[in-house]
Amino acid sequence: MKRFMQYLLICALALATANVAFAAKKKSAADLATEAAAAALKCDLAAIKKAWIDKHPTLTKANVALTELNKHVQTWEVTEFGYDPALGEAAKDEGLELFKNAETKFAAYMDKIASQQSRACAVCRVKKKYELAVAGGVADVTEAELLAPELEFVFANLSNLAGLKKTNESQKNATTDQKKKDDLDKAFRPIERQIDDAMTTLTDYRASNPSSPAIGAEITKMKCS
């Protein structure tokens, strides 16, 4: 009888353990969707870029070769580029132009490839430009605008100019001397014109390109690293 009771106790414990394990497994399955959604909002651009380069080692070799070539071309004699010194000089300049900043161009290309691996990475790619746009007073900026070659420097300029405007306003608020205020206003006018010019460039771009949703709400959800 005693052994039978022990047997029943063991069976009960086993059943309880199985139920707990099943419940845990069921909970993990339920969390799968949540984890997938969270993962879709994350992007580690550096890790993705490294993985892509590791997958294609010839790219690294090409980058190293181009970088080394850029260094060596500068040391070559003009006469090595042609019998005519004038033609040789032109050919050397062409080579320097062709191979300069090879490493920087390669890194920019890898960043572009990495950013295309997921929607999160595509959004993270423009996050820094977005922050400049917001600092410059363009909170409704779109992804297309952040990537537009025509607007490449507009948002950085607006951000810098906004900082200068804030400094000017602080200086005006710090003095009660009307002449100083007038001098500050006069000094700020060229900056104000630059702000107007930058905003005109953005307005013209928007007038000639299809509108799209602002990217701010999507960027704030992303975790970029």
Side-chain angles (χ1 to χ4, degrees):
M1 184 69 177
K2 186 177 180 181
R3 287 184 179 178
F4 180 69
M5 293 299 294
Q6 288 176 338
Y7 172 74
L8 288 177
L9 180 60
I10 291 171
C11 289
L13 287 172
L15 182 61
T17 302
N19 286 336
V20 170
F22 178 76
K25 186 176 181 181
K26 188 176 180 181
K27 183 179 179 181
S28 297
D31 287 344
L32 254 167
T34 302
E35 291 175 3
L41 298 177
K42 292 180 181 179
C43 175
D44 186 343
L45 276 171
I48 290 174
K49 182 167 71 171
K50 182 180 182 306
W52 206 84
I53 292 173
D54 289 346
K55 185 179 177 182
H56 304 282
T58 50
L59 287 172
T60 301
K61 293 177 183 177
N63 178 52
V64 171
L66 285 170
T67 302
E68 287 300 310
L69 182 58
N70 181 45
K71 292 177 183 177
H72 289 296
V73 167
Q74 299 179 51
T75 66
W76 293 351
E77 296 295 331
V78 171
T79 53
E80 296 184 80
F81 290 86
Y83 73 94
D84 185 323
L87 293 175
E89 189 71 43
K92 182 175 181 178
D93 289 343
E94 185 179 352
L96 291 172
E97 180 66 26
L98 182 63
F99 299 117
K100 75 176 182 180
N101 301 323
E103 190 173 0
T104 302
K105 292 174 183 176
F106 175 80
Y109 177 69
M110 288 297 98
D111 286 341
K112 182 179 180 180
I113 294 298
S115 73
Q116 294 174 173
Q117 301 306 304
S118 71
R119 177 57 190 161
C121 288
V123 173
C124 288
R125 181 189 177 197
V126 298
K127 184 176 181 180
K128 289 183 179 179
K129 280 190 176 181
Y130 168 77
E131 290 170 348
L132 290 174
V134 172
V138 190
D140 63 342
V141 68
T142 69
E143 182 177 5
E145 290 165 355
L146 293 172
L147 294 173
E150 306 95 309
L151 304 176
E152 184 177 0
F153 302 109
V154 167
F155 303 114
N157 288 342
L158 282 172
S159 178
N160 291 332
L161 293 169
L164 294 174
K165 181 178 181 180
K166 187 176 182 180
T167 299
N168 179 270
E169 290 172 347
S170 296
Q171 290 173 337
K172 284 173 63 178
N173 292 333
T175 183
T176 55
D177 188 320
Q178 188 57 48
K179 185 178 184 307
K180 286 184 178 180
K181 287 180 182 285
D182 291 342
D183 289 342
L184 287 167
D185 282 337
K186 183 177 180 180
F188 183 69
R189 280 172 198 150
I191 298 171
E192 199 167 33
R193 283 194 292 272
Q194 291 181 57
I195 294 174
D196 290 342
D197 289 344
M199 291 304 297
T200 297
T201 300
L202 177 59
T203 301
D204 290 345
Y205 176 88
R206 288 179 169 179
S208 57
N209 289 274
S211 61
S212 56
I215 197 173
E218 192 175 8
I219 281 184
T220 55
K221 295 177 184 177
M222 298 299 174
K223 294 182 179 179
C224 307
S225 58

